[in-house]
């Protein structure tokens, strides 16, 4: 089960992190991180610690280059691997832009591993079986984007 690489636009990513109320020092995890746009923002704008998980090695390399360019060593990390193999218990916030089918498959793992009070924000796709605490609509450059917030 996989999802193609389509980046979340910067403005939408900022609103996702704002909706999740990311605080300095919190750990933000982006499973299926692409080129790590969300992780980079979480670290540089919200002062969080960011961890991306990405299966595509070319995108992993882009993340590493971005972290190096922005001098994010020690604050931003990329894991090359399958998002279903990661243990999410470290996360305060999880950001998703994957698809309903992957969200549904990931849900029981997140339920097992995330601590109480952790937040999940999902771009465009709901997590089937969960009820969003809030959802917002953001006007992007080309279309409207919906973001769902879940509090564990
Ligand atoms: C729609 S993109 C989202 C990128 C980024 N999270 C963002 O919002 O800008 C989905 C990403 O998930 C990655 N991906 C898909 N299946 C994966 C898996 N099983 N494990 C790790 N990464 C995966 C894809 O390579 C792609 O980069």
């Amino acid at each position: 089960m996989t999802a193609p690489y389509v980046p979340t636009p910067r403005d939408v990513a900022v609103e996702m992190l704002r909706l999740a109320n990311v605080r300095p020092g919190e750990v933000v995890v982006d499973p299926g991180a692409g080129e790590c746009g969300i992780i980079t923002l979480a670290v540089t704008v919200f002062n969080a610690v960011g961890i991306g998980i990405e299966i595509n090695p070319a995108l992993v390399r882009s993340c590493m280059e971005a972290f190096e360019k922005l001098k994010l060593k020690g604050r931003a990390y990329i894991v090359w691997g399958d998002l279903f193999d990661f243990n999410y218990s470290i996360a305060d916030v999880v950001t998703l832009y994957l698809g309903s089918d992957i969200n549904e498959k990931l849900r029981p793992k997140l339920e097992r591993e995330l601590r109480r009070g952790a937040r999940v924000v999902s771009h465009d796709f709901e997590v089937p079986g969960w009820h969003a605490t809030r959802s917002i609509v953001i006007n992007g450059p080309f279309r409207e984007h919906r973001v769902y917030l879940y509090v564990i």
Side-chain angles (χ1 to χ4, degrees), residues 23-37:
R23 293 181 289 263
E26 286 196 317
V27 176
V28 175
V29 177
D30 187 15
E35 293 179 296
C36 287

Side-chain angles (χ1 to χ4, degrees), residues 14-78:
V14 169
E15 290 307 321
M16 287 173 79
L17 297 166
R18 205 172 269 160
L19 184 64
N21 191 24
V22 174
R23 293 181 289 263
E26 286 196 317
V27 176
V28 175
V29 177
D30 187 15
E35 293 179 296
C36 287
I38 292 180
I39 289 303
T40 300
L41 280 174
V43 175
T44 57
V45 178
F46 292 81
N47 277 315
V49 174
I51 304 173
I53 307 142
E54 177 53 57
I55 206 157
N56 178 331
L59 296 173
V60 169
R61 180 157 292 280
S62 296
C63 289
M64 292 168 72
E65 286 168 2
F67 296 165
E68 193 155 335
K69 192 170 161 199
L70 295 166
K71 301 193 184 343
L72 303 185
K73 198 174 170 193
R75 295 194 289 154
Y77 303 87
I78 180 69

Side-chain angles (χ1 to χ4, degrees), residues 27 29 51 53 79 82-91 94 106 109-110 112-115:
V27 176
V29 177
I51 304 173
I53 307 142
V79 176
D82 192 320
L83 62 89
F84 289 101
D85 293 335
F86 188 79
N87 186 322
Y88 292 87
S89 57
I90 196 174
V94 176
L106 192 56
K109 185 169 167 59
L110 295 177
R112 276 194 309 275
E113 294 175 356
L114 286 176
R115 64 165 183 80

